[in-house]
Amino acid sequence: MRARALLILGDPADPVARDQAVGRALERLREAMVESGIAADGPVWLGAGGGWPTAPDGPLCVLVAGHRSAAAREVLLGAGVQIPQAPEALGLVPGRLADRPVVLVCGTDARGLAYAVLELADRVAHAEDPLAAVSVRESLVERPANAIRGVARLFTSEIADKPWFYDRRFWRRYLSELMSQRFNRFSLTLGLGYNFPRRVSDVYLHFAYPFLISVAGHDVRVPGFPDQERERNLETLRFVSNEAAAIGLRFQLGLWTHGHQWPEGSNPSHAIEGLTPDNHAAYCRDALATLLAACPAVQGITFRTHGESGIPERSWSFWRTVFDGIAQSGRMVEIDLHAKGVDRQTLELALATGMPVNVSAKYWAEHMGLPYHQAAIRERERPRDDQATASTAGHAGFMAVSEGSRPFTRYGYADFLREDRPYGIFHRVWPGTQRLLLWGDPAMAAGYGRHSSIAGSLGVEWCEPLSFKGREGSAAPGPRDGYADPSLPLAGGDWRKYLYAYRLLGRLTYNPDASPETWRRQLRAEFGEAAGQAEAALANASRILPLVTTAHHPSASNNYYWPEMSSSLPIVWHGDQARPLAYWDTPFPWRFGTVSALDPELFSSADEFVGEVLEGRRSGRYSPLDVAAWLDGFAGAAERHLALMRARAADGAAPNVRRWAVDVAIQACLGRFFAAKLRAAVGYEEHAATGRAEPLRNAARSYRVARAAWAAAAGHASGVYVDDLSFGEEPHLRGHWSDRLAGIDADIAAMEEALSALELTAPGEPAAAGGVIQTTRLREPAAVRVSHTPPVPFRRGDEIAIRLGVAALSPGATATARLHYRHLDQAERYTVVEMERRGEDQVATIPGSYSNAPYALQYLFELRDPRGDAWLYPGLDGDLSNQPYFVLLQAGRPA
């Protein structure tokens, strides 16, 4: 009879195995085994007497050890397995110890070993036969692709966020889940309730210090705020940071606001007294030092140093004083500088403390785009020629850097990826694109895992779902999850809805090549025979809004643009039309068809595309029609798999099935909506350029299709989500999908009115006049095969030969090529050169004068065939998760 027991063994001389984080991971493993009806004993320390079974029906033995321990080395040598010499690497290796069978669970350090133990626990929790899950048959060896894999949780609302902030049961479960999914960093983020200190109402923990600590030598207070509540807040912060450290997570505290005065028009929930311009910086310094002393598990502080922090940019004396509070802590504390507005002087002040310094850049502005980094930034973010004037523009000089001399720092990695940088850099994915609906695409998550380390970057931090819920004082009492249907919320907290997303993002940024089993085991446990269809339905749905974010972007600010529930930006524009509040950074004229892509190197707007076609000068960029085809394809695939998922689910009315199904259905409808509206915009822009009626008729037909899709999304959401999903006080940040129909209807009415007027004046226009939608084909495979092998890493000052293979697939087929290249510096524009034909190859040279700079190089190819068709290489793959350009590193830098 097979024993239903597990024996955990350890080496008493192994400090890694005795680490607290490993002990906490073992607790989770034991709990998972006991819940599965299996006894789990140990750890039994080898050589401590007793406990080593010899009978064939004895318990399964698991050896938990650091990979350098004597016992681990014996197993690894016998199994012929090596563990990479990298931080946080792990191994699960079947082998023999003292001629007895064991499963070695090992890691290169305590965190890696904890991950390995938690991997066993996860297998047990989701297995039909838990002992079989622990009885590893094939070795698993993994190492992290990214040094930082973080999650940020934002406190932005006193009403919405206090319940979870004080809930210790929540914290234990939540932090443990992050650790289980291979995250290594957690950031509690304070002070992001407002973009700027204006019209302020909810200021709880916004300028955080006086809500957490009393600072000796400073009479700074919040009138009427109880001392007991301040002490409770500090004790909660201490508990959370200690708990994170205990299980192996690095704890980061975000202090994004240092302004404390609320201007006219504000109605703050709390006032702050005792601060003046003379003592403000010293108070912040001493408060920070006091806070770090009170919470020794805080390992880093994130600062926003641009004007939205409430401190005018170029306030170098202020930041020198504040950073000194970290220097006075007497221990190593990371300084993380949010990249927007960071200049050389601010960086030097941080580096002068002797502390580790990281710069955290936005990945895709304040949204979630495709996994690669922008090939180019929008024109409005480029350095300005009139810097002397620009440096004093914007919010009375508060934004002298980020809206003046260095606007390119706002929405990407900017110029921070220097090869000689004395600081680290990582990338933060902001919560603008999807705030509420489920997300989960393994291909895209793996893409983020591969591309977050661009040019030696450290990795990625995710702002979690539901970030900014109730922001700007918009919260109402009640749960954060937004469900109106009382059967849909999950027990244990709203965060549990997104467990699948945490799993994908954590595990696939740790190892982009991880086995699908790492996420499919959760789906099988939740959906049974419908698991495969559930995965495919959500994966296709999850590509829709990141594609829209990348290809068509009315505003880079998450405080204005919310593509999940976007306010209608009109296609039809009138000369006296005011700029839409929600889309302040949309180019003039302010209409849907003129909206720039967030990556204008790869994607064209509707008016740009129409201009290219009418002038016969195709650029090779993806057009709105290409994007529309992708969107319809993803929506159709999501709908098909969703229908099969519902058919195969054991109970189609079960809450888990309904939660999944409604969010997939809404996103599929959004894909249909944006596809049809992009087609309508192309038709309207052609009409605007030519005066023809037929393109306008096409536009009106497409717009009615778009309207039907949006109405279907509203129908899916009706009764499922509440009528006011509030992520801010402005109408474009709250409400329901049904609220947006009036704006769509008004724009359709304006288009149809224009069409009626045109048909009265041009009734005899020939049908052959046509329109771009009918006469322009989407790109077809060219009759050539393109190939390229990047050169080896270069040394500064080298000439770099770039060779592109262009082989004919049919007699006479040919194509010419142009090379687009620039430094890995988003402030720069591309240099574009014609390539020379040499046999079947096209060749160009990047001169040594250009390579003699402290940056890696980025390049792509534009190809054109004799028909005039053009395309970019390497371009995007079918799942949109590859890097559509090449990066060439300098010799000596990591890939």
Side-chain angles (χ1 to χ4, degrees):
M1 180 178 176
R2 188 176 182 182
R4 304 288 294 173
L6 177 73
L7 178 63
I8 301 168
L9 305 172
D11 183 345
D14 180 8
V16 175
R18 288 187 174 275
D19 188 89
Q20 184 180 19
V22 177
R24 294 290 293 272
L26 286 170
E27 289 177 14
R28 183 152 179 169
L29 173 60
R30 283 191 292 266
E31 289 170 1
M33 298 298 290
V34 170
E35 289 172 3
S36 300
I38 297 173
D41 296 324
V44 171
W45 300 105
L46 298 174
W52 186 270
T54 57
D57 61 348
L60 176 66
C61 294
V62 170
L63 172 63
V64 176
H67 78 303
R68 291 186 183 276
S69 71
R73 290 200 305 269
E74 179 180 335
V75 177
L76 291 170
L77 182 62
V81 174
Q82 291 186 334
I83 305 299
Q85 301 302 306
E88 302 180 17
L90 65 86
L92 300 180
V93 182
R96 302 187 74 81
L97 179 64
D99 205 31
R100 296 178 176 88
V102 297
V103 173
L104 171 64
V105 180
C106 68
T108 54
D109 52 24
R111 186 177 287 141
L113 180 51
Y115 288 152
V117 174
L118 292 168
E119 169 67 16
L120 274 193
D122 192 69
R123 294 182 180 197
V124 168
H126 295 99
E128 293 183 3
D129 185 346
L131 267 184
V134 177
S135 302
V136 176
R137 301 297 177 88
E138 296 184 3
S139 294
L140 172 72
V141 177
E142 294 183 300
R143 62 181 296 172
N146 295 279
I148 290 178
R149 307 173 305 281
V151 171
R153 188 172 181 89
L154 283 57
F155 187 111
T156 59
S157 166
E158 182 172 6
I159 293 175
D161 296 335
K162 264 187 173 179
W164 59 257
F165 181 64
Y166 291 137
D167 186 350
R168 297 194 173 192
R169 189 164 180 259
F170 152 73
W171 281 116
R172 291 188 181 98
R173 291 184 173 184
Y174 172 79
L175 294 174
S176 178
E177 184 67 25
L178 296 185
M179 186 67 184
S180 292
Q181 304 313 333
R182 313 275 179 86
F183 291 103
N184 64 358
R185 176 183 176 115
F186 171 72
S187 176
L188 179 62
T189 300
L190 311 177
L192 269 176
Y194 294 85
N195 271 24
F196 217 84
R198 59 189 174 195
R199 290 183 299 175
V200 169
S201 58
D202 184 351
V203 300
Y204 198 91
L205 286 175
H206 191 58
F207 176 61
Y209 301 123
F211 293 91
L212 292 168
I213 48 174
S214 175
V215 183
H218 297 273
D219 186 19
V220 176
R221 60 203 169 276
V222 180
F225 187 68
D227 291 347
Q228 296 88 341
E229 186 167 347
R230 185 188 65 230
E231 292 165 3
R232 184 186 184 193
N233 288 342
L234 179 61
E235 179 54 36
T236 299
L237 177 60
R238 185 184 294 116
F239 166 79
V240 177
S241 57
N242 287 341
E243 179 67 13
I247 65 172
L249 287 171
R250 180 181 179 87
F251 183 89
Q252 191 83 7
L253 179 63
L255 298 173
W256 287 69
T257 291
H258 276 77
H260 62 94
Q261 294 178 314
W262 320 126
E264 186 177 350
S266 298
N267 183 26
S269 56
H270 302 277
I272 296 171
E273 295 181 353
L275 286 174
T276 69
D278 292 333
N279 70 0
H280 182 202
Y283 167 77
C284 292
R285 174 198 63 207
D286 297 343
L288 184 54
T290 302
L291 192 59
L292 289 171
C295 299
V298 173
Q299 295 177 278
I301 302 291
T302 299
F303 295 101
R304 171 174 56 176
T305 60
H306 67 77
E308 291 175 26
S309 68
I311 307 300
E313 292 171 7
R314 297 181 175 169
S315 295
W316 299 309
S317 176
F318 176 86
W319 291 112
R320 178 186 294 109
T321 303
V322 173
F323 293 161
D324 192 47
I326 293 183
Q328 292 178 13
S329 68
R331 56 189 173 89
M332 298 302 289
V333 177
E334 176 195 327
I335 297 176
D336 166 22
L337 299 176
H338 173 57
K340 180 177 176 179
V342 168
D343 55 14
R344 177 179 55 81
Q345 292 91 332
T346 306
L347 256 175
E348 287 178 351
L349 291 173
L351 291 166
T353 64
M355 299 293 165
V357 175
N358 285 327
V359 173
S360 50
K362 294 175 182 174
Y363 210 124
W364 278 100
E366 296 178 6
H367 300 271
M368 180 181 180
L370 301 179
Y372 73 93
H373 297 267
Q374 291 168 279
I377 59 177
R378 303 183 304 171
E379 279 302 309
R380 67 174 296 112
E381 275 90 54
R382 293 196 179 280
R384 300 169 181 169
D385 295 331
D386 58 338
Q387 288 186 4
T389 301
S391 65
T392 58
H395 305 298
F398 264 66
M399 314 294 282
V401 178
S402 60
E403 291 187 4
S405 59
R406 290 173 60 76
F408 53 88
T409 63
R410 294 156 61 96
Y411 299 130
Y413 59 74
D415 59 353
F416 293 113
L417 285 176
R418 295 176 60 96
E419 297 284 280
D420 57 355
R421 57 188 182 266
Y423 51 84
I425 183 168
F426 66 96
H427 310 277
R428 183 173 289 114
V429 179
W430 282 64
T433 297
Q434 290 190 231
R435 310 169 192 233
L436 178 73
L437 301 176
L438 283 168
W439 182 92
D441 177 16
M444 192 169 288
Y448 270 100
R450 293 187 179 96
H451 309 319
S452 294
S453 57
I454 185 172
S457 296
L458 297 174
V460 62
E461 179 178 278
W462 303 90
C463 293
E464 65 173 14
L466 296 179
S467 291
F468 294 150
K469 186 72 169 68
R471 194 179 189 229
E472 298 177 333
S474 65
R480 295 169 76 236
D481 56 33
Y483 282 123
D485 184 334
S487 69
L488 294 179
L490 283 96
D494 49 66
W495 65 280
R496 292 182 59 78
K497 171 180 174 177
Y498 306 101
L499 289 176
Y500 183 61
Y502 289 128
R503 178 177 291 265
L504 292 180
L505 296 173
R507 287 172 174 258
L508 289 170
T509 53
Y510 178 90
N511 177 13
D513 298 314
S515 166
E517 177 62 21
T518 63
W519 64 84
R520 287 177 178 167
R521 64 174 73 118
Q522 177 189 338
L523 294 178
R524 285 197 304 271
E526 188 168 356
F527 295 103
E529 293 183 1
Q533 302 303 329
E535 176 186 336
L538 185 59
N540 280 280
S542 296
R543 295 168 189 165
I544 289 169
L545 290 175
L547 173 59
V548 171
T549 292
T550 303
H552 173 90
H553 208 70
S555 179
S557 170
N558 75 82
N559 208 38
Y560 293 95
Y561 183 41
W562 181 13
E564 212 173 39
M565 199 190 296
S566 61
S567 297
S568 179
L569 180 61
I571 293 176
V572 179
W573 182 78
H574 302 286
D576 59 350
Q577 182 174 313
R579 180 193 293 271
L581 171 65
Y583 305 122
W584 66 273
D585 52 342
T586 289
F588 178 86
W590 305 305
R591 64 180 185 240
F592 194 85
T594 63
V595 168
S596 169
L598 194 49
D599 184 354
E601 181 70 12
L602 262 66
F603 294 88
S604 64
S605 65
D607 66 327
E608 290 170 338
F609 169 59
V610 168
E612 288 181 10
V613 173
L614 294 178
E615 296 176 20
R617 51 172 181 81
R618 293 300 301 275
S619 68
R621 293 183 295 172
Y622 294 108
S623 77
L625 301 186
D626 296 316
V627 175
W630 267 323
L631 292 172
D632 272 336
F634 294 140
E639 291 162 346
R640 290 192 300 274
H641 288 292
L642 179 57
L644 291 170
M645 171 191 142
R646 284 170 163 154
R648 295 180 183 180
D651 180 2
N656 66 317
V657 174
R658 289 164 51 223
R659 278 190 298 270
W660 202 275
V662 72
D663 284 11
V664 168
I666 290 171
Q667 290 175 78
C669 289
L670 295 179
R672 300 288 193 191
F673 167 80
F674 280 110
K677 190 168 181 179
L678 285 169
R679 293 189 179 101
V682 168
Y684 181 81
E685 294 301 327
E686 187 189 7
H687 158 71
T690 65
R692 296 172 182 162
E694 187 61 23
L696 193 57
R697 294 189 191 101
N698 296 336
R701 283 193 292 269
S702 291
Y703 212 164
R704 287 189 286 271
V705 172
R707 198 269 184 202
W710 192 274
H716 289 303
S718 179
V720 175
Y721 289 110
V722 298
D723 292 337
D724 184 12
L725 293 161
S726 58
F727 289 84
E729 63 176 353
E730 298 289 351
H732 53 267
L733 292 175
R734 61 191 312 163
H736 191 273
W737 287 269
S738 58
D739 301 339
R740 284 25 176 189
L741 286 169
I744 296 170
D745 289 340
D747 198 24
I748 291 175
M751 183 179 288
E752 292 181 336
E753 181 180 350
L755 180 60
S756 296
L758 187 62
E759 288 175 334
L760 288 174
T761 59
E765 180 183 289
V772 169
I773 291 179
Q774 280 70 35
T775 61
T776 300
R777 296 176 298 180
L778 296 179
R779 67 191 69 246
E780 296 176 353
V784 295
R785 181 177 64 250
V786 181
S787 60
H788 172 66
T789 300
V792 297
F794 67 96
R795 297 190 181 279
R796 288 180 60 166
D798 286 351
E799 283 193 349
I800 305 168
I802 304 294
R803 187 176 296 271
L804 180 71
V806 182
L809 296 178
S810 59
T814 185
T816 59
R818 298 204 297 174
L819 174 68
H820 296 225
Y821 67 88
R822 67 166 171 83
H823 298 119
L824 211 60
D825 174 358
Q826 290 177 322
E828 296 184 4
R829 290 182 172 85
Y830 283 86
T831 297
V832 181
V833 296
E834 299 288 342
M835 302 187 76
E836 298 179 4
R837 183 182 300 280
R838 295 184 186 173
E840 286 193 340
D841 290 347
Q842 304 268 341
V843 179
T845 299
I846 299 174
S849 59
Y850 192 88
S851 76
N852 190 22
Y855 289 99
L857 297 175
Q858 177 177 315
Y859 62 95
L860 54 92
F861 303 93
E862 173 194 337
L863 291 107
R864 192 175 306 276
D865 67 17
R867 299 177 305 171
D869 194 15
W871 68 100
L872 301 179
Y873 178 82
L876 288 166
D877 293 343
D879 59 18
L880 308 184
S881 294
N882 66 303
Q883 182 173 271
Y885 48 77
F886 299 96
V887 172
L888 184 57
L889 299 175
Q890 291 189 12
R893 262 287 177 182

